[in-house]
């Protein structure tokens, strides 16, 4: 067996997920202090901020994926990775049930993994609010597979719309691209899609030019609620120029294979229900709890009042537990569910765990020294030990002095199409709100610098150049 057994002198630290939270933890964790086990159905990290660009082929999806094997192999001590889904966490028994749900299964595809310490970083699911038809007919935008499915569907709609003798109504329906949810995901996707049409599709398939239309549907009075008022206005104005329709105060209630039913509130307060035909429906209405998280919450009495995720304390410990931590979208710590928060939380936990290991090491040394102290005679040797103990105690106090997690908001950024972006940046003196083409260059360079690796950075730049020179690839894979 070439897989070393876990070292019995070390604690087993199990980390669930390979997203923003877990990967940022792994990046900074001194793995030699623990038996580290990573479990995730996805053997790569995904740079989600550029995922909307993959739906139109501005960026190829592999350019924003980084295999976990690639960075785990550079860690000081070996880390075990199991490509599997955690189906249940048994808090009492301190085990995680895991399931290999990929296509190829061996003799063993379900098992349990025991833990001493557990980090839950499984992210969130797509919210549908139980609206009928969403899962059957809508497409989400969260994972690589989602972006691929959207890219395929866009092309399918375009090709079907140009099928011989297609009726005018059907052409209109097929080329109506509806995005539900005016948060950043919906806005960025709508912008990317309109770019695709303006820059490539209308040239490659001139027949569709008169009928291709993007509509963004939002239940609230405006889109991008987390941005400042002038940026919301700027976004709405830019969308108008780009000819993307925004339907605010419009709540989708039902989805069928060919139309959505939405209730809109008129200025006089009256409500009307209308059917909106669509060819492509992208559903981006935010996050919901994953079943494995919901199940864990039910096992811990202190979590019974928490609704949106695992309630954590200021050290990201899941309330009501001692040895379970949570990061990212599945944790509720009064911050928005963003990559920025998740990655800072992950980095915080790495520091915490590194320090915990150091504390334990010093405490063991102290125990050993006080033992020694009793054995040596008075005088020089004893004084030396005494001095060592003093020094160690000082170090211990320093190490133990780790403050709680504090989030530092760097700002919000979103691409809104036609080479424009909006940014609310926290500046030394206050806030800076900007929108436009300069912001777009800032957006590009900021996201590029945030990419996981140099490899990713190079691939993304090459994709941008490729799309500029040759146009986006319209083959339907
Ligand atoms: P994720 O990154 O979602 O990772 C969860 C991990 O857990 C995945 O590896 C998943 O495979 C794994 N997993 C799932 N279920 C299980 C299970 N049962 N057992 C084990 N593992 C499991 N935020 C920003 O700050 N800026 C942006 O520009 C931005 N753009 C975005 C664009 C899009 C299209 C989307 C969808 C999100 C964007 N976000 C952005 C939000 C950001 O992606 C999330 O907040 C972030 O991914 C949360 O990190 P996480 O680690 O909690 O979860
Ligand atoms: P969101 O929760 O931010 O927005 C969802 C929107 O859908 C809300 O405005 C809501 O009113 C609307 N909605 C809900 N139900 C509806 C219905 N039935 N009909 C019409 N509209 C409905 O979701 P998101 O955009 O997916 O973002 C999720 C998280 O990821 C957020 O925290 C966001 O900040 C983050 N994110 C950030 C960026 C960025 O910074 N550029 C990009 C993408 C996502």
């Amino acid at each position: 067996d070439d897989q070393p057994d876990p070292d019995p002198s070390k604690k087993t630290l199990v980390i669930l997920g390979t997203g923003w939270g877990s990967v940022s933890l792994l990046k900074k964790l001194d793995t030699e202090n623990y038996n580290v086990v990573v479990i995730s159905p996805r053997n790569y990290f995904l740079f989600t901020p550029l995922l909307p660009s993959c739906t139109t082929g501005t960026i190829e999806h592999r350019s924003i994926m980084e295999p976990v094997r690639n960075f785990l192999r550079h860690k000081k001590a070996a880390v075990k990775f199991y490509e599997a889904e955690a189906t249940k966490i048994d808090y009492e028994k301190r085990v995680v049930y895991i399931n290999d749900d990929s296509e190829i299964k061996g003799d063993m595809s379900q098992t349990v993994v025991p833990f001493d310490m557990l980090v839950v970083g499984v992210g969130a699911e797509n919210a549908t609010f139980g609206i009928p038809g969403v899962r059957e007919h809508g497409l989400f935008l969260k994972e690589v597979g989602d972006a691929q499915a959207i890219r395929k569907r866009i092309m399918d709609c375009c090709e079907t719309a140009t099928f011989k003798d297609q009726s005018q109504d059907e052409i209109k329906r097929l080329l109506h691209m509806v995005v539900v949810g005016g948060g950043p995901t919906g806005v960025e996707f709508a912008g990317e899609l309109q770019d695709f049409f303006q820059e490539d599709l209308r040239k490659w398939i001139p027949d569709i030019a008169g009928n291709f239309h993007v509509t963004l549907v939002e239940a609230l009075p405006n889109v991008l609620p987390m941005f400042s008022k002038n940026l919301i206005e700027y976004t709405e104005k830019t969308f108008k120029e780009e000819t993307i329709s925004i339907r605010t105060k419009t709540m989708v209630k039902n989805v069928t294979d060919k139309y959505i039913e939405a209730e809109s509130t008129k200025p006089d307060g009256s409500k009307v229900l209308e059917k909106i035909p669509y060819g492509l429906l992208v559903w981006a209405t935010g996050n919901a709890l994953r079943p494995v998280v919901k199940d864990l919450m039910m096992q811990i009495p202190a979590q019974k009042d928490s609704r949106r995720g695992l309630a954590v304390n200021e050290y990201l410990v899941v309330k009501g537990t001692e040895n379970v931590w949570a990061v990212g979208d599945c944790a509720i710590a009064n911050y928005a569910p963003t990559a920025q928060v998740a990655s800072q939380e992950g980095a915080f936990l790495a520091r915490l765990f590194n320090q915990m290991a150091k504390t334990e090491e010093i405490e063991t040394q102290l125990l050993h020294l006080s033992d020694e102290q009793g054995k040596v005679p008075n005088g020089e040797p004893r004084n030396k030990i005494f001095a060592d103990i003093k020094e160690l105690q000082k170090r211990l106090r320093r190490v133990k002095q780790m403050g709680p997690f504090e989030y530092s908001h760097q700002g919000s950024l979103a691409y809104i199409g036609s080479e424009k972006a909006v940014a609310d940046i926290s500046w030394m003196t206050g806030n800076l709100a900007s929108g436009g083409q300069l912001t777009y260059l800032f957006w590009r360079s900021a996201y590029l610098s945030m990419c996981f690796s140099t490899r990713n950075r190079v691939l993304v730049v090459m994709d941008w150049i490729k799309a500029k020179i040759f146009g986006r690839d319209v083959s339907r894979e």
Side-chain angles (χ1 to χ4, degrees):
D1 187 358
D2 52 5
Q3 291 195 1
D5 283 333
D7 179 344
S9 71
K10 292 178 187 171
K11 284 187 175 158
T12 298
L13 167 62
V14 172
I15 300 172
L16 303 183
T18 47
W20 277 97
S22 301
V23 163
S24 122
L25 158 62
L26 281 164
K27 245 184 164 175
K28 293 214 163 78
L29 181 72
D30 295 336
T31 51
E32 63 274 27
N33 297 326
Y34 303 95
N35 296 310
V36 183
V37 181
V38 180
I39 297 161
S40 174
R42 206 168 81 180
N43 78 345
Y44 55 87
F45 166 74
L46 176 66
F47 186 75
T48 47
L50 289 177
L51 192 63
S53 301
C54 297
T55 59
T56 59
T58 312
I59 292 176
E60 295 295 337
H61 57 271
R62 282 193 180 264
S63 305
I64 58 166
M65 292 158 71
E66 184 70 24
V68 288
R69 303 285 186 182
N70 210 12
F71 60 86
L72 289 184
R73 76 197 166 102
H74 296 300
K75 297 305 283 189
K76 247 195 190 150
V79 171
K80 281 243 167 76
F81 173 72
Y82 300 130
E83 192 190 74
E85 189 188 327
T87 50
K88 184 181 171 69
I89 299 163
D90 191 325
Y91 174 60
E92 279 293 313
K93 293 196 183 123
R94 300 193 171 196
V95 293
V96 180
Y97 291 79
I98 67 169
N99 192 356
D100 174 3
D101 51 10
S102 65
E103 250 168 65
I104 303 293
K105 292 184 180 52
D107 289 341
M108 186 62 119
S109 63
Q110 282 183 342
T111 186
V112 287
V113 178
F115 64 83
D116 298 306
M117 295 155 74
L118 176 72
V119 176
V120 188
V122 296
E125 262 190 11
N126 294 294
T128 64
F129 307 103
I131 296 167
V134 176
R135 283 195 192 281
E136 294 88 321
H137 310 298
L139 297 176
F140 298 114
L141 180 51
K142 199 169 189 66
E143 299 289 342
V144 165
D146 299 332
Q148 286 172 298
I150 293 174
R151 192 173 174 185
K152 195 169 170 179
R153 184 75 59 91
I154 298 169
M155 291 324 303
D156 206 353
C157 285
C158 291
E159 297 299 356
T160 306
T162 53
F163 190 80
K164 188 168 180 295
D165 300 332
Q166 199 71 271
S167 76
Q168 191 55 32
D169 279 352
E170 192 64 348
I171 293 173
K172 266 201 151 31
R173 176 184 76 81
L174 287 163
L175 296 175
H176 191 202
M177 310 280 148
V178 173
V179 185
V180 179
T185 304
V187 165
E188 289 192 321
F189 170 67
E192 294 274 357
L193 183 54
Q194 185 67 21
D195 281 1
F196 185 26
F197 171 67
Q198 287 297 344
E199 290 162 19
D200 299 308
L201 282 176
R202 59 185 302 160
K203 296 180 201 149
W204 295 58
I205 323 173
D207 294 2
I208 66 167
N211 292 301
F212 190 96
H213 192 78
V214 181
T215 299
L216 180 65
V217 180
E218 166 59 54
L220 297 175
N222 53 262
V223 298
L224 292 182
M226 66 287 289
F227 281 83
S228 14
K229 198 167 167 278
N230 58 336
L231 291 183
I232 292 173
E233 280 163 13
Y234 181 77
T235 305
E236 293 182 348
K237 185 177 128 254
T238 306
F239 268 26
K240 213 178 207 162
E241 285 162 13
E242 289 170 6
T243 67
I244 297 173
S245 304
I246 299 186
R247 299 282 312 264
T248 50
K249 295 190 191 163
T250 305
M251 166 101 74
V252 178
K253 298 261 172 161
N254 185 34
V255 173
T256 74
D257 59 344
K258 292 194 172 137
Y259 59 85
I260 55 171
E261 277 181 292
E263 186 183 75
S264 49
T265 311
K266 299 285 154 210
D268 66 3
S270 64
K271 291 187 163 50
V272 272
L273 195 66
E274 61 182 311
K275 288 182 180 165
I276 305 173
Y278 72 86
L280 168 81
L281 174 67
V282 171
W283 193 267
T285 63
N287 292 343
L289 275 179
R290 284 198 193 280
V292 67
V293 174
K294 214 182 280 174
D295 177 76
L296 176 63
M297 286 164 67
M298 288 195 318
Q299 298 169 43
I300 305 164
Q303 296 286 330
K304 85 172 192 315
D305 293 330
S306 188
R307 290 280 167 276
R308 287 172 303 125
L310 288 159
V312 295
N313 73 9
E314 69 275 28
Y315 286 87
L316 307 181
V317 178
V318 172
K319 285 184 183 163
T321 77
E322 279 168 9
N323 55 339
V324 183
W325 289 260
V327 288
D329 287 1
C330 64
I332 298 302
N334 283 333
Y335 308 110
T338 64
Q340 218 182 126
V341 171
S343 67
Q344 288 184 29
E345 289 177 340
F348 170 83
L349 277 196
R351 257 183 296 134
L352 186 75
F353 293 163
N354 293 345
Q355 294 214 353
M356 279 165 60
K358 247 187 241 154
T359 308
E360 269 185 31
E361 188 192 308
I362 299 174
E363 279 170 348
T364 318
Q365 280 175 0
L366 273 173
L367 219 64
H368 174 74
L369 280 181
S370 31
D371 248 21
E372 290 284 293
Q373 205 181 11
K375 290 183 200 149
V376 295
N378 275 339
E380 191 64 22
R382 201 167 191 166
N383 290 348
K384 164 92 178 54
I385 293 183
F386 190 66
D388 285 351
I389 289 181
K390 273 240 129 103
E391 181 55 39
L392 275 179
Q393 280 170 337
K394 227 163 72 192
R395 256 185 68 198
L396 186 64
R397 273 198 298 276
R398 241 194 348 257
V399 165
K400 275 190 162 171
Q401 245 175 26
M402 185 159 159
F405 172 70
E406 269 175 52
Y407 170 60
S408 136
H409 186 61
Q410 307 294 307
S412 308
L413 259 176
Y415 181 61
I416 59 171
S418 67
E419 308 203 334
K420 289 183 183 131
V422 287
D424 264 325
I425 308 290
S426 317
W427 219 248
M428 277 181 297
T429 48
N431 275 345
L432 186 76
S434 75
Q437 280 179 320
L438 213 61
T439 315
Y440 168 67
L441 292 180
F442 174 69
W443 174 84
R444 275 204 161 178
S445 51
Y447 279 13
L448 203 57
S449 73
M450 283 188 279
C451 275
F452 186 85
S453 60
T454 310
R455 189 183 74 91
N456 281 164
R457 249 168 246 135
V458 171
L459 292 175
V460 166
V461 170
M462 287 194 326
D463 287 345
W464 278 338
I465 296 172
K466 244 173 25 190
K468 196 96 207 159
I469 299 178
F470 302 112
R472 298 163 180 86
D473 186 346
V474 299
S475 337
R476 186 172 73 82
E477 275 182 282

